Amino acid sequence: MSQPRVAYFCMEYGLHEELPIYAGGLGILAGDHVKSAGDLKVPLVAIGLYWREGYTRQRIGQDGYPYDEFPAQHHDFLEDAGIRFTVPIQGNQVECHALKCTRYGNAPLYLIEPVEERFRWITRRLYGGRHHDRIAQEMLLGVGGVRMLRAMGHEVDVYHFNEGHAVFAGLELVREAMAAGKSFEDAWNDTRDQIVFTTHTPVPAGNESHDHGVLREMGAYLDFSYEQLTRIGGDPFNMTVAGLRLARHANAVAQLHGETSREMWKQVSGAAPIGAITNGVHRPTWQDARVAAAYEAKDESALWNAHQEAKREMVAEVRARSGIELDAGRLIIGFARRAAAYKRSDLILRDPSRIEPMLERREVQLIYSGKAHPHDEIGKRIVANLVRLARQYPHSVVFLENYDMAIGRSLTRGCDVWLNNPIRPLEASGTSGMKAAMNGVLNFSVLDGWWPEGCEHGVNGWQIGDAYEGTDRDEHDLNSLMDVLSHQVLPTYYGNRKKWVEMMFASIEMSAWRFSTDRMVTEYFDKLYGLHKRLRAVV
């Protein structure tokens, strides 16, 4: 049986640092998804937006505070797809074109932008602007994405909305069906058979919603009535709720996240059933070729040497970026991710009496990197705190500014240990640890996101906190972290090289297929795209 033809929608794509149209994990996942789709030669096209100024280039000032820059981007390798279509925004018919990207071996990615300069405020900056800007961006992605596919004459069996940003595509499909003569009920019901939806954010407040008055002002009503849109998305119009009510099936991005999501959205009437397809990463992008070769040869000394080469290269990169010389012969722990309070980036440093002696002796060296959203002052204070701590321990703690894919590759190949200590169960998946695991960098993590599925404590990494979720979890997890670090991680690294290398092999063995996007994309086609009948009817 032929595979379903898929149109994949996402607001951001992380394909390479030279094309900075990504902010964080969502975009990196989407980039890896379309790369594996290209490798596997499956019938998938991807739709996004072309952000002229990309995402923030975030620099640290002399005062230790992050500041945002938005230089204009020029990418001559993007090819005009030669089509035109319009999207109604704020009373204007905004003419758009699409730029095609296949540079990275990925499935065809079409990036939409307005033709006229006067409308390019919409796609100026990823997640830039305020409420009106965001609605305009999401209309361009969703409504524009469907109209682009129509202009191309591209046949689609399944529309995959990766997060709620693409939900207006579902409204456009319902509108098309109604324009062809169907009732609202029939149009909605029939459209659901074509849509699948991936939910990411396991915190209700993080799921976007819009005021109906602003939706109407921006043209997002698309000839629907208030009653009709309220039935789909509620009031205010919640993009995740709408996604769940527009899809035939939905999925979370890890097994634990599936449990969290089903509990979080159980009160939504008429919602699609939420399964779980655990995220993965694109192995050719993230795994060091020397590590892969040593693993395939089952050569312990070659694997250790390959890791040491990657580590020395990372130390040189750190020196070039920060001026700080780390010791490649001593343990280096990496922590690089978006600046968010629930990720508890400074947890390991919260008890100076325990960590300071390790830092002073250089038994432990820490590399941090990450960005805060340009409008997130709490996130910026988190970054500033990490910078302050790095300046407090200048020989053993480093913060690398302007986190991007290049830094991510270097750290997930060159560190010895990958630290992750979010508040459970607030991590949807977390894919940086998968990249580290594929390189034999040992995960040291709270049992959240993907790690409960992969962790064998003391075999392929270590867990922190025993899945504890009590109100005193910060103290509990900190004690667990320091106990495991002191009594298991450090003694193994400095005293038992053979066991450490065995754990590196086990880490790669665990992750190479199971946490790859090749496995993930195959699972999407088998379990989600191929489900032709809805599992639960509209209620």
Side-chain angles (χ1 to χ4, degrees), residues 364-375:
V364 170
Q365 301 168 98
L366 296 169
I367 303 178
Y368 284 103
S369 192
K371 285 180 181 177
H373 187 287
H375 299 317

Side-chain angles (χ1 to χ4, degrees), residues 254-257 259-260 344 347 418-430 443-458 460-469 473 476-477 480-481 484 510 514-515:
Q255 301 307 308
L256 176 61
H257 180 230
E259 298 173 18
T260 304
R344 301 187 295 186
L347 186 66
W418 199 252
L419 179 63
N420 189 31
N421 40 240
I423 295 171
R424 177 186 159 105
L426 302 185
E427 185 90 290
S429 176
N443 276 270
F444 183 27
S445 175
V446 165
L447 288 168
D448 200 7
W450 73 283
W451 189 227
E453 299 168 48
C455 177
E456 292 182 70
H457 184 81
N460 59 18
W462 299 271
Q463 64 91 11
I464 298 167
D466 299 309
Y468 185 71
E469 296 182 19
R473 57 200 167 202
H476 176 275
D477 289 350
S480 174
L481 189 164
V484 175
M510 171 266 295
R514 189 173 166 194
F515 296 106

